[in-house]
Amino acid sequence: MIRTILYSTAALAAFIATAALADNTAGAFKNVKLVYDQPLPNVPGKSMRGVLVEYEPGGNSPAHLHPKSAFIYATVLEGAIKSKVNDGPEVTYRAGESWSEFPGDRHAVSANASATEPARLLAVFVVDTDETELVLPYEE
């Protein structure tokens, strides 16, 4: 009974998070899709969420933040992505390369490095389960 209630609560939280991410994608973040959402059974209050980000040739995402509870591992699946986190240098990552972002990091640049080829990346978040927005606008 308790396990059923816990799973039902987790499913509701996942639905809310998915709906919130879908709302985010209606505007500037339309290239973002939640593809995985799982509460971590051995870390109460935390979930793992996978987000697929697709860029058309020359496409980019506006400057943004992620929740203060979020640790992110990003890997390029296709093409090449330009990324600038905090005050670090702008780096171009190619298919198979990856990087991490830490809680509170500012993502000033996230863009397709090519004007002719598409690019895709998978961002895996470890984040508070009750977090409803994974991408937050950021003004530099």
Side-chain angles (χ1 to χ4, degrees):
M1 174 76 171
I2 291 176
R3 180 174 279 170
T4 302
I5 292 170
L6 287 175
Y7 286 134
S8 296
T9 302
L12 178 60
F15 174 77
I16 291 168
T18 303
L21 187 59
D23 286 346
N24 265 350
T25 63
F29 299 103
K30 63 185 174 195
N31 59 340
V32 177
K33 180 180 178 185
L34 184 68
V35 295
Y36 183 81
D37 192 349
Q38 177 65 49
L40 297 175
N42 60 334
V43 187
K46 294 288 185 183
S47 287
M48 181 180 292
R49 296 192 181 130
V51 176
L52 181 64
V53 182
E54 297 179 314
Y55 292 105
E56 295 178 3
N60 63 49
S61 296
H64 59 275
L65 301 168
H66 299 289
K68 291 187 189 233
S69 69
F71 173 81
I72 303 158
Y73 166 79
T75 188
V76 179
L77 302 174
E78 174 186 3
I81 304 286
K82 292 187 291 187
S83 180
K84 177 176 170 52
V85 178
N86 297 324
D87 297 324
E90 186 174 296
V91 178
T92 298
Y93 297 94
R94 290 174 173 57
E97 296 181 324
S98 58
W99 70 95
S100 296
E101 295 179 35
F102 296 91
D105 280 353
R106 301 174 322 278
H107 207 151
V109 174
S110 183
N112 188 338
S114 172
T116 60
E117 300 293 324
R120 292 184 311 141
L121 72 84
L122 177 66
V124 178
F125 290 67
V126 175
V127 65
D128 288 348
T129 298
D130 63 357
E131 189 60 60
T132 59
E133 294 186 45
L134 298 179
V135 182
L136 309 164
Y138 168 68
E139 299 283 329
E140 284 193 79

